Amino acid sequence: MEFILLGFSDIPKFHWLLFGLFLLIYVIILLGNGIIILIIRVNPTLQTSMYFFLSNFSFLEICYVTVTLPRMLMDLWTLKGNISFFACAAQMFSFLTLEAIECFLLAVMAYDRYVAICNPLHYPLIMNHKACIQLVAGCWISGIPVDIGQTYQIFSLPFCGSNEVNHFFCDIPPVLKLACGDTLVNEMLVYIFGILFVTVPFVLILGSYSRIISTILKLPSNTGRTKAFSTCSSHLIVVVLFYGSATITYLQPKPNQFERMGKLISFFYAVLIPTLNPVIYNLRNKGIMVELRKLLGKLLT
């Protein structure tokens, strides 16, 4: 009726240090993304499609880490990793759904940059407010039915052996390893859904950026090329970090191998990347930086 998340129990001497570190990371993620949302919401000059998608992405990052980090903090505080069968299933479903939403949202953000750079005259018409809302709603809704089915498939398997999940949250590979019997069908479904939610959006992103780069290189001035590249660079960095780690995790040949490395990679894309995202967008986005300086100036005076 329950699983035990081993998490970082192999290094018990450092559990208070890890608790403090993860708590600090969680606060940074909440504050960093919350400030981005606040700045975009209250500033009239940032009411464009690019910043609309960015605020949704920041909200998604808050939801994304809230699925895993509070649970990790509780386990480190209590030194217990017990999680009920249904809570584990709910955590897996929530994490997979938010991960799928992030894949699609990153693809939509790439399409937004493609229209802005390759078709600037029609940009306000194509990326109007209604279209932006429909695209974001599509991202949030699209992954739910499939992830319900995938989670149900995995937790319908018999679990008759060990109940110790060698991970810090209920992810597919470590939970699937505990199932009894043949899991070939489930592993094939992981590959299929991985291709559907990871590879397809990534191909769309590559297609958008190939057209973007081709258009930028044709610009007559170096200033125009630099400005165009600067509007895309932060998004491209996030895409490479997120898709690289997610691909390694879900499309590796055997999900039950390299457990320690898999835990490290999962920690990278589930915790560290959401921590870096506000920094990446703040440091490379002039609009956000200008408004952030204004906000800090008002608070300090």
Side-chain angles (χ1 to χ4, degrees):
M1 294 302 295
E2 69 175 11
F3 293 101
I4 299 175
L5 296 171
L6 297 181
F8 301 96
S9 59
D10 53 339
I11 46 175
K13 294 181 180 180
F14 299 99
H15 73 276
W16 287 117
L17 176 63
L18 291 175
F19 177 86
L21 177 62
F22 294 156
L23 180 60
L24 177 62
I25 288 174
Y26 190 46
V27 171
I28 290 172
I29 292 171
L30 293 180
L31 287 178
N33 287 288
I35 289 171
I36 291 176
I37 295 171
L38 177 64
I39 289 174
I40 293 173
R41 293 293 183 188
V42 301
N43 197 288
T45 62
L46 301 182
Q47 304 305 310
T48 64
S49 61
M50 181 179 75
Y51 292 105
F52 175 75
F53 293 133
L54 183 55
S55 64
N56 275 274
F57 184 74
S58 295
F59 176 70
L60 175 63
E61 294 293 84
I62 292 173
C63 297
Y64 191 66
V65 296
T66 301
V67 171
T68 57
L69 265 178
R71 177 76 212 191
M72 290 168 59
L73 291 171
M74 186 181 74
D75 291 343
L76 287 168
W77 180 269
T78 61
L79 296 180
K80 297 178 182 179
N82 301 63
I83 182 170
S84 71
F85 186 87
F86 293 106
C88 187
Q91 187 183 52
M92 179 183 289
F93 164 72
S94 301
F95 186 80
L96 292 177
T97 301
L98 292 169
E99 198 171 38
I101 293 168
E102 182 157 353
C103 290
F104 288 125
L105 189 56
L106 287 171
V108 167
M109 294 169 75
Y111 175 71
D112 175 70
R113 293 299 83 208
Y114 159 74
V115 177
I117 294 173
C118 299
N119 201 358
L121 296 178
H122 295 92
Y123 179 68
L125 181 63
I126 296 173
M127 302 304 295
N128 58 69
H129 186 64
K130 181 180 179 181
C132 292
I133 292 176
Q134 289 174 340
L135 287 170
V136 169
C139 292
W140 280 89
I141 295 171
S142 57
I144 293 177
V146 176
D147 288 324
I148 288 176
Q150 188 172 17
T151 305
Y152 177 77
Q153 283 277 350
I154 292 172
F155 283 88
S156 295
L157 293 168
F159 293 91
C160 53
S162 172
N163 66 338
E164 295 183 343
V165 180
N166 190 14
H167 212 6
F168 55 86
F169 71 99
C170 291
D171 202 2
I172 293 178
V175 172
L176 198 57
K177 184 188 175 184
L178 301 181
C180 302
D182 188 11
T183 60
L184 179 61
V185 174
N186 301 88
E187 291 177 17
M188 290 301 298
L189 287 174
V190 171
Y191 281 112
I192 293 170
F193 294 141
I195 291 172
L196 179 63
F197 290 124
V198 177
T199 308
V200 173
F202 186 63
V203 170
L204 294 175
I205 291 172
L206 287 179
S208 297
Y209 273 104
S210 64
R211 295 291 301 274
I212 289 171
I213 293 171
S214 175
T215 302
I216 290 175
L217 293 176
K218 293 177 183 178
L219 294 176
S221 66
N222 289 332
T223 304
R225 286 195 291 269
T226 303
K227 184 177 179 180
F229 271 122
S230 67
T231 63
C232 303
S233 57
S234 57
H235 177 257
L236 196 56
I237 292 170
V238 172
V239 166
V240 172
L241 291 174
F242 177 78
Y243 276 96
S245 54
T247 301
I248 293 172
T249 299
Y250 292 108
L251 298 182
Q252 60 180 313
K254 291 184 179 181
N256 60 345
Q257 289 186 348
F258 312 111
E259 289 181 347
R260 188 178 293 272
M261 183 61 68
K263 192 187 296 187
L264 180 62
I265 294 170
S266 296
F267 180 76
F268 181 73
Y269 76 80
V271 177
L272 290 185
I273 292 179
T275 309
L276 294 173
N277 285 346
V279 178
I280 293 171
Y281 278 114
N282 279 333
L283 293 179
R284 304 186 68 88
N285 192 299
K286 291 183 179 179
I288 295 290
M289 285 300 294
V290 168
E291 298 305 323
L292 181 59
R293 290 192 191 99
K294 289 180 181 178
L295 179 63
L296 290 175
K298 291 178 181 178
L299 293 175
L300 296 174
T301 56

